[in-house]
Amino acid sequence: MTNDIAGVVLAGGSNSRFNNIIKSKIEICGVPVINRILNTIRPVFSEILIITNTPDEFIDITDVRFSGDSFLKKGPLGGIHAALKTSSCDAVFVFAGDMPLLDRTLIIKLLEDYRASSCDILIPRIEENIEPLHAIYSSAVFPVLGNYLLRDENYAVRDFIALMNVRYSDLDSTAENKRAFSNINTPEDKMLIEEILKKY
C-alpha cells in the first residue's frame, strides 16, 4: 500500500443532463460511481481524500478524509489545490469523480513511473490524448497553483500544467487502457459503460 502518495477523488460538479445530480453519485448498474472508484483505489492508497464542497452528500462513506475548495468556482484546479493543501503526503494521485472504470493495475504502473521520474506532474498519455484528471501532482505544485488561482482567470487544467515540469507516461492505444479513462457526461455515456460492465 502506498504511504507517500494520497489517492484523491474530485467529487464536485453536477450534471444538468442527470437532473443536476453530482456526477460521482450517478449510479452505474446500481452502484454510485464514487463507490466504484473507492473500491478500486482503497487497496492502493493508505490516505484517501474526497474533495467536495458538499460533504453531506457522502455521509455514508467512511474511512476517508474530506476537504473543500479554498478557491471556489475554479473547476478541477481548485480541487487539486485543496487536495495538495489537505494531504499529508508528498504527492496526490488525482481521479475525476466520474470515472467508474478505473484500472488498479494501471494506477500502480503510473505510481511506479512517477517514482522513477523527476517531475512535478505525471500524466498518462495515449497517442495525443492526455488525462490530467487521472494524474499525479507533487506537493511542489501547491505554491505555484495557489498563486496561479489568485492572479489568473484562466482555470483550464491543461493551461496550468504547461507551466510545470510535466512527464508523460505513454500507454498503448488499447481498448483496455482507453476504457480506464471513460467518464460520464451524457446518459449515452452511462449506457455505454453499463454495457461494458455487463461483459465483465
Side-chain angles (χ1 to χ4, degrees):
M1 184 175 283
T2 296
N3 296 312
D4 57 334
I5 300 174
V8 175
V9 184
L10 302 182
S14 59
N15 192 315
S16 59
R17 296 187 180 98
F18 292 92
N19 296 318
N20 291 316
I21 295 174
I22 293 172
K23 292 175 75 175
S24 58
K25 295 200 72 179
I26 294 170
E27 292 191 359
I28 302 293
C29 296
V31 180
V33 175
I34 185 72
N35 294 83
R36 291 185 176 278
I37 293 173
L38 292 174
N39 288 341
T40 301
I41 70 174
R42 270 194 168 112
V44 181
F45 301 97
S46 60
E47 179 179 81
I48 295 177
L49 307 176
I50 295 178
I51 306 301
T52 175
N53 294 319
T54 56
D56 289 348
E57 294 279 356
F58 304 95
I59 196 168
D60 58 320
I61 295 176
T62 58
D63 301 324
V64 303
R65 297 175 66 190
F66 287 87
S67 181
D69 296 343
S70 297
F71 293 93
L72 298 177
K73 299 182 179 180
K74 307 292 186 182
L77 283 180
I80 294 168
H81 178 270
L84 290 166
K85 179 180 180 180
T86 305
S87 175
S88 60
C89 295
D90 297 330
V92 295
F93 198 139
V94 170
F95 303 98
D98 63 346
M99 287 184 169
L101 301 179
L102 296 180
D103 184 320
R104 191 179 301 148
T105 301
L106 178 55
I107 291 168
I108 292 170
K109 176 196 180 323
L110 294 173
L111 288 168
E112 292 171 350
D113 289 352
Y114 174 78
R115 292 192 177 98
S117 67
S118 178
C119 63
D120 299 322
I121 304 171
L122 181 97
I123 301 175
R125 179 169 61 186
I126 298 177
E127 296 177 339
E128 299 302 316
N129 299 311
I130 65 172
E131 294 293 342
L133 297 185
H134 185 296
I136 303 172
Y137 293 78
S138 162
S139 58
V141 171
F142 178 68
V144 182
L145 179 53
N147 289 332
Y148 183 85
L149 292 172
L150 278 173
R151 71 173 189 269
D152 208 301
E153 295 184 358
N154 176 11
Y155 308 130
V157 177
R158 290 170 187 252
D159 290 337
F160 171 73
I161 64 175
L163 306 175
M164 305 303 299
N165 175 21
V166 179
R167 294 288 181 272
Y168 294 97
S169 180
D170 286 304
L171 307 175
D172 293 335
S173 182
T174 63
E176 183 179 29
N177 284 338
K178 292 176 181 178
R179 187 164 58 241
F181 302 128
S182 298
N183 66 337
I184 304 171
N185 291 311
T186 67
E188 290 74 22
D189 292 337
K190 178 179 182 292
M191 291 174 60
L192 179 61
I193 289 170
E194 287 181 329
E195 287 301 315
I196 291 172
L197 285 170
K198 289 174 184 176
K199 297 177 182 178
Y200 294 90

